[in-house]
Amino acid sequence: FDNNYGIFAYMATGAKPMPTVNFTINFHKAVLEDTDKIWVTTRVISAGKRILSMAGEAKNANGDLIATCQTNMLNATGARISI
């Protein structure tokens, strides 16, 4: 999740830093040793002037939900967020 959130925040602000305010992961199913693919999707919940909120889901190749995640990032430089 962190890779998705970081890349999105980096691109949305024109390469300005956005420190993480909070980051919560909930695990719903084990990732077994024979798991060869995990699909992670990320979406923006809200993009305010100071806080960018995002959520994500991780699923295995069968479409089973493995984990969910939510984060809030601080727009510390006041950069315009382009979504």
Side-chain angles (χ1 to χ4, degrees):
F1 293 106
D2 192 37
N3 288 339
N4 282 20
Y5 295 145
I7 290 170
F8 179 81
Y10 183 82
M11 293 176 64
T13 60
K16 303 291 185 210
M18 286 191 76
T20 301
V21 175
N22 64 337
F23 191 92
T24 304
I25 299 175
N26 294 303
F27 296 98
H28 305 284
K29 190 170 186 159
V31 177
L32 303 176
E33 191 175 313
D34 62 347
T35 302
D36 59 344
K37 291 184 182 179
I38 296 176
W39 302 98
V40 176
T41 57
T42 305
R43 63 186 173 95
V44 173
I45 303 296
S46 68
K49 187 175 183 179
R50 302 286 292 169
I51 300 290
L52 176 63
S53 297
M54 293 179 279
E57 293 184 342
K59 295 182 178 183
N60 63 18
N62 294 330
D64 299 323
L65 185 64
I66 295 172
T68 54
C69 184
Q70 189 164 357
T71 190
N72 292 298
M73 301 179 87
L74 177 65
N75 187 357
T77 63
R80 181 175 178 193
I81 299 174
S82 300
I83 300 174

